[in-house]
Amino acid sequence: MQTEDLKDELTCALCLQVYQDPVRLPCLHSFCLKCIEEAWAQTPGAGKFECPQCRQIFNRRPSLERKATGVHYRRSESPTDSPHLMCEYCIENPTPAVKTCLKCETSFCSQHVKPHLLKEYYKDHTLIEPVRNFKERQCFDHKKVLEFYCNDDAECVCGSCIVTGKHKSHTLLSLDQAQSAIKVKLEKEFEKIDDIQRNCSSKKEELERSEAEIKTQINQIKEKLSKNFSEWRRKLDEDEESTMRVIDEEGLQALSQIRSCSEALNSKMEQIALIDREIQSFLQKDPLSIIQNSTQLISRVKETKRITEPDVPVVILNLSNISQQLQKKLKGWEMYHTDILGAIRNSPLNLDPKTANFNLILSNNLRSVTWTGQEQPYPPHPQRFKDCPQVLCSQSFSSGSHSWDVQIDGNEWGVGIVYESLDREGKSSYLGSNSKSWSLDCGYIIPDYLWARHNSQFTLLPSIQFNPRIRVQLDYEAGTLSFHQVTDSLRHLHTFQSTFTEPLFPAFYCYWNTSIKLLS
């Protein structure tokens, strides 16, 4: 610390002299004890205590703390109890030291340091914060104060080291010069750390955005699924009720037929039982009566025999009708099942890291891809594109209609769909260069022009503005894949017509300082 700076630190703002018994107010401004008490005594109005420097008013007399340049204790404390370094000149009344002189190897309080501040004789003496162990600041070989820095050996040395010691012919710096050089080096190193900090902060922000986006997706999917399941349960209850009703109706019809046949049989059996009882009673009579009346009874038996017995049909439930009803219901359930799967499948797309080429960098949320000239240390994987800077999405589509938007920054890119069975190396792996992929490309053949490609067949398209937003629309059953430029309205670019036979994966080609971002 420079002498003038030290004077300012040890000067009372009231008397403009070096502190005499310095104290600190709660507002952290310091004064001589006598000066502040006199200032308060001269202040008009009883019980008014104000800091003369910042004018802060205290409702009652504040407690005063003894000040010793960053080391202080309350007036109620005994200085001898202080754990801090004491002035070596205060014998009878030990006082905390405020400075240490490296040349004198002595520590002084605010009173005894005055000569070092005021007298010309001490101008070359170096004052520092109080030091307990001088050995840490002395040369091990010569027991002298370390005054220089050896740049060759990167260590502090004393005056004798550079005259007779091993550092005699070395490059030497003053401690101030060495300090400045170290500060510069630290600042440079910190700049590197600062870059890492900013990078980490950026990644953290991206993760926070991903977290928020995923939470939103979860809530949206749960809400949609909850509605679908509620509707499904309602439909199931309705279908159960109607199916049970059909079964009851079919059962009632079958049981009614059985009851009708049973009643006819019962009537025939009652007639037979009645004649049987008459015969048994007739046979109990005398022979003459039996002979005289047998003709009539035999006639009645023959008449009863002539009554046709009722046919008993094979009665079964009409299960075919019930089966037809259930088939209709099942088609409805399949529709709800498709809706539920659709709620999951239509969630935002994510890039598949295991398919990314070594020259592609994926964002933490797996929604952006950027080309880089430096190969990334990705682990080997059979699904990874070896030669072409391409990446696929994790999701695939094997039915239904779907669409997704991408924002493109750069001049060489491709957007499309592929079968999973697409080759992962060689020319046949390039998007649009085979029968297993369909794409919209820019800059691949002629810079700044658009091309629609499938099975190595090219269609030249009108040019579009740079950094466009592209919408891809897929209708699997209809076999159509359409591309549009998204501005204030949709501008149709091209539509492929095909027959899809495998699950389709969204695919992206990204080259030469280009990046592609999937949009929500």
Side-chain angles (χ1 to χ4, degrees):
M1 180 180 292
Q2 298 297 322
T3 301
E4 291 301 322
D5 296 335
L6 189 56
K7 284 183 180 180
D8 292 339
E9 182 183 340
L10 300 178
T11 298
C12 173
L14 293 175
C15 66
L16 303 180
Q17 301 295 322
V18 175
Y19 289 124
Q20 297 289 335
D21 196 6
V23 293
R24 188 197 308 269
L25 301 185
C27 60
L28 302 182
H29 291 121
S30 302
F31 309 92
C32 299
L33 176 60
K34 182 179 179 181
C35 292
I36 189 62
E37 288 182 339
E38 288 179 354
W40 284 344
Q42 296 172 6
T43 302
K48 183 178 181 181
F49 303 96
E50 180 183 71
C51 173
Q53 195 161 347
C54 68
R55 300 302 179 185
Q56 180 177 344
I57 298 176
F58 306 100
N59 295 328
R60 56 185 178 180
R61 180 186 175 92
S63 60
L64 300 177
E65 296 182 347
R66 297 280 184 177
K67 179 181 179 298
T69 316
V71 177
H72 56 275
Y73 56 90
R74 299 185 182 276
R75 295 186 67 183
S76 60
E77 295 177 350
S78 170
T80 56
D81 294 335
S82 172
H84 305 297
L85 185 64
M86 296 299 171
C87 174
E88 297 180 27
Y89 278 78
C90 295
I91 306 301
E92 297 181 356
N93 185 22
T95 304
V98 296
K99 294 294 172 184
T100 294
C101 176
L102 291 179
K103 192 166 185 178
C104 299
E105 297 187 1
T106 305
S107 298
F108 303 98
C109 65
S110 58
Q111 180 66 26
H112 290 114
V113 80
K114 285 183 179 180
H116 278 74
L117 301 176
L118 304 176
K119 293 186 178 182
E120 185 72 14
Y121 176 79
Y122 295 104
K123 67 178 182 179
D124 60 338
H125 287 217
T126 302
L127 294 174
I128 62 171
E129 297 301 310
V131 174
R132 289 182 179 277
N133 188 0
F134 282 98
K135 290 183 179 180
E136 295 178 354
R137 293 180 168 269
Q138 290 179 344
C139 172
F140 180 79
D141 295 327
H142 305 103
K143 310 303 179 186
K144 292 184 178 181
V145 175
L146 298 172
E147 300 179 87
F148 305 96
Y149 179 80
C150 176
N151 202 44
D152 297 352
D153 295 331
E155 61 177 313
C156 295
V157 298
C158 70
S160 296
C161 289
I162 64 177
V163 176
T164 60
K166 60 181 180 179
H167 305 280
K168 182 177 180 180
S169 59
H170 290 181
T171 302
L172 300 174
L173 301 174
S174 68
L175 295 182
D176 288 340
Q177 291 173 328
Q179 173 186 269
S180 298
I182 290 173
K183 282 183 177 180
V184 171
K185 184 177 180 180
L186 282 174
E187 288 173 355
K188 289 182 179 179
E189 292 299 322
F190 185 76
E191 285 179 1
K192 299 176 183 178
I193 297 177
D194 198 38
D195 290 340
I196 296 174
Q197 173 77 354
R198 284 193 295 271
N199 189 35
C200 290
S201 178
S202 176
K203 290 182 177 179
K204 186 174 183 295
E205 290 177 358
E206 188 172 346
L207 285 174
E208 290 173 351
R209 287 192 296 269
S210 298
E211 180 184 17
E213 184 176 333
I214 288 174
K215 287 181 178 179
T216 300
Q217 294 173 18
I218 289 172
N219 291 333
Q220 291 175 344
I221 293 172
K222 287 174 66 177
E223 181 179 359
K224 186 169 184 179
L225 287 178
S226 179
K227 290 180 180 179
N228 282 329
F229 276 115
S230 296
E231 181 64 18
W232 199 358
R233 281 190 290 269
R234 185 190 65 79
K235 183 64 176 175
L236 282 173
D237 290 340
E238 290 180 356
D239 290 350
E240 179 184 9
E241 183 180 353
S242 63
T243 302
M244 296 304 175
R245 188 164 54 248
V246 170
I247 293 174
D248 287 340
E249 291 173 355
E250 293 294 335
L252 287 174
Q253 185 176 349
L255 293 175
S256 177
Q257 189 176 3
I258 290 174
R259 281 193 294 269
S260 177
C261 291
S262 180
E263 290 174 356
L265 288 172
N266 287 336
S267 177
K268 179 70 173 179
M269 292 169 64
E270 287 177 0
Q271 291 178 8
I272 294 173
L274 178 60
I275 293 176
D276 181 59
R277 287 193 298 272
E278 290 182 3
I279 292 174
Q280 296 301 325
S281 176
F282 179 77
L283 292 176
Q284 299 299 324
K285 295 180 178 182
D286 60 280
L288 182 60
S289 296
I290 292 174
I291 294 170
Q292 292 176 339
N293 297 303
S294 61
T295 302
Q296 182 181 2
L297 184 59
I298 292 171
S299 177
R300 288 186 61 196
V301 171
K302 290 181 178 180
E303 183 180 351
T304 301
K305 288 174 60 180
R306 285 196 297 270
I307 299 175
T308 304
E309 295 180 11
D311 292 330
V312 180
V314 179
V315 181
I316 60 174
L317 286 173
N318 187 359
L319 297 180
S320 61
N321 187 27
I322 298 174
S323 177
Q324 291 175 1
Q325 292 287 338
L326 288 177
Q327 288 294 331
K328 292 180 180 179
K329 306 302 182 186
L330 285 173
K331 288 182 179 179
W333 299 340
E334 289 175 359
M335 179 185 69
Y336 291 115
H337 181 256
T338 301
D339 289 343
I340 290 175
L341 291 180
I344 299 174
R345 288 172 178 167
N346 289 332
S347 62
L349 299 173
N350 295 311
L351 300 174
D352 188 353
K354 70 177 181 290
T355 67
N357 177 262
F358 293 103
N359 289 101
L360 297 180
I361 299 176
L362 305 186
S363 61
N364 290 331
N365 64 356
L366 300 178
R367 301 274 293 164
S368 298
V369 55
T370 303
W371 181 87
T372 176
Q374 183 177 0
E375 289 195 354
Q376 302 301 298
Y378 295 143
H381 196 281
Q383 295 296 315
R384 192 176 306 285
F385 286 101
K386 307 298 190 303
D387 305 312
C388 185
Q390 294 178 167
V391 63
L392 305 183
C393 282
S394 299
Q395 297 85 350
S396 64
F397 307 112
S398 56
S399 63
S401 298
H402 310 272
S403 69
W404 55 96
D405 286 10
V406 294
Q407 186 70 45
I408 302 167
D409 184 5
N411 302 325
E412 194 158 338
W413 51 267
V415 176
I417 56 173
V418 303
Y419 290 149
E420 187 176 21
S421 58
L422 178 70
D423 290 340
R424 302 308 164 108
E425 59 182 322
K427 292 183 178 180
S428 60
S429 66
Y430 279 62
L431 191 60
S433 297
N434 46 73
S435 61
K436 298 182 178 182
S437 61
W438 297 256
S439 69
L440 177 73
D441 300 331
C442 178
Y444 182 73
I445 301 175
I446 303 177
D448 304 334
Y449 278 84
L450 287 180
W451 295 84
R453 293 201 302 153
H454 171 63
N455 204 18
S456 297
Q457 300 298 313
F458 303 89
T459 302
L460 180 63
L461 304 177
S463 61
I464 60 173
Q465 64 183 30
F466 292 127
N467 305 334
R469 177 171 177 168
I470 301 296
R471 177 165 299 171
V472 185
Q473 293 180 318
L474 169 67
D475 188 329
Y476 193 96
E477 283 76 16
T480 59
L481 176 68
S482 299
F483 297 92
H484 295 80
Q485 181 184 1
V486 182
T487 54
D488 294 335
S489 60
L490 287 181
R491 176 191 174 191
H492 178 258
L493 299 173
H494 186 74
T495 295
F496 287 104
Q497 184 68 54
S498 185
T499 300
F500 302 124
T501 59
E502 298 180 31
L504 293 166
F505 289 79
F508 307 96
Y509 170 88
C510 189
Y511 187 63
W512 196 249
N513 298 327
T514 295
S515 62
I516 301 175
K517 181 179 181 181
L518 279 161
L519 302 178
S520 300

